[in-house]
Amino acid sequence: MTLKRKIALVDLRQQTITVEPISSDLREKFLGGRGLGIYLLWQHGTKTGDPLSADNTVVVNAGLLGGTLAACDAYGSILTKSPLTGFYDFSTLAGPFAAEMRWAGFDHIVICGKSKKPVFLFISNGNIEIKDAGQIWGQSSNETRKKILQQFKDRELKICAIGPAGENLVRYATLNVDRYGDTGHTGAGPTLLEDF
């Protein structure tokens, strides 16, 4: 698993997903999920402009030890340009989400562009799909979670979701990670508006 790490590049504007291996050169230069995540944000993100624009990029990372037996609760992270501060934002993904993302086949997901309609990403067994989110738009993050669990009939799914605050571009909105809490303080929620 540790030698076959992959990055998924998701372009919501074009509705395309490209999967690339993480080279050993990159793994040696940038240690861990956060280190490589910062590099990916720098490579794919916008250097100027409004963090709430379609040009902002969101990078979802599994931590270095996520999905291994080395740690019982290794977290992941979300990196983006903060809508609240306009600076780089690092928010922790609590719970088993990062481990599940890695077990599904991906260590980093780089999300850019803006979809014309609400969508969400479904990750399973090495595949990522862009799915219609019209039926969950306008719901709280808890209601969104319930509806997705019902839709896929799998109570083991791990879900990150925004709610009405993120949909309405509240600059300090958070991202809800299952029942494990929120991403925190600098507004990762509205940057994922194009994803959910």
Side-chain angles (χ1 to χ4, degrees):
M1 171 183 15
T2 57
L3 298 178
K4 296 183 179 180
R5 295 186 170 178
K6 294 185 288 185
I7 302 166
L9 305 170
V10 179
D11 185 334
L12 295 175
R13 183 179 294 117
Q14 302 296 324
Q15 298 284 294
T16 60
I17 299 170
T18 306
V19 177
E20 299 176 354
I22 300 173
S23 69
S24 57
D25 181 49
L26 277 181
R27 284 188 280 133
E28 289 172 11
K29 286 182 180 176
F30 303 100
L31 179 64
R34 186 176 185 177
L36 187 51
I38 291 170
Y39 169 78
L40 292 170
L41 184 62
W42 179 256
Q43 289 297 312
H44 299 280
T46 181
K47 312 301 184 279
T48 60
D50 186 348
L52 294 178
S53 75
D55 296 326
N56 197 8
T57 298
V58 176
V59 182
V60 184
N61 308 286
L64 181 64
L65 300 176
T68 70
L69 297 177
C72 63
D73 201 13
Y75 289 173
S77 63
I78 290 188
L79 303 166
T80 191
K81 188 174 181 183
S82 168
L84 187 61
T85 67
F87 297 109
Y88 155 81
D89 175 35
F90 167 81
S91 293
T92 302
L93 288 173
F97 182 86
E100 292 285 343
M101 187 175 88
R102 177 165 285 150
W103 291 332
F106 300 96
D107 292 83
H108 305 274
I109 301 172
V110 178
I111 306 166
C112 60
K114 181 177 180 178
S115 176
K116 292 179 181 174
K117 60 181 182 176
V119 296
F120 68 93
L121 300 178
F122 181 73
I123 307 165
S124 178
N125 298 322
N127 295 310
I128 297 182
E129 299 174 62
I130 300 172
K131 295 194 170 280
D132 178 45
Q135 75 280 6
I136 54 177
W137 191 252
Q139 304 294 313
S140 71
S141 55
N142 286 332
E143 283 301 314
T144 295
R145 182 177 178 281
K146 288 176 190 174
K147 287 189 175 187
I148 289 176
L149 291 175
Q150 289 170 356
Q151 178 180 346
F152 291 99
K153 297 177 176 47
D154 183 352
R155 298 194 55 76
E156 298 301 315
L157 289 177
K158 305 302 177 231
I159 299 167
C160 289
I162 65 170
E167 292 172 8
N168 290 300
L169 305 180
V170 174
R171 288 187 180 266
Y172 53 87
T174 62
L175 176 69
N176 184 274
V177 186
D178 278 318
R179 296 172 301 237
Y180 300 97
D182 298 321
T183 55
H185 47 294
T186 55
T191 60
L192 283 168
L193 172 64
E194 60 267 22
D195 310 326
F196 294 97

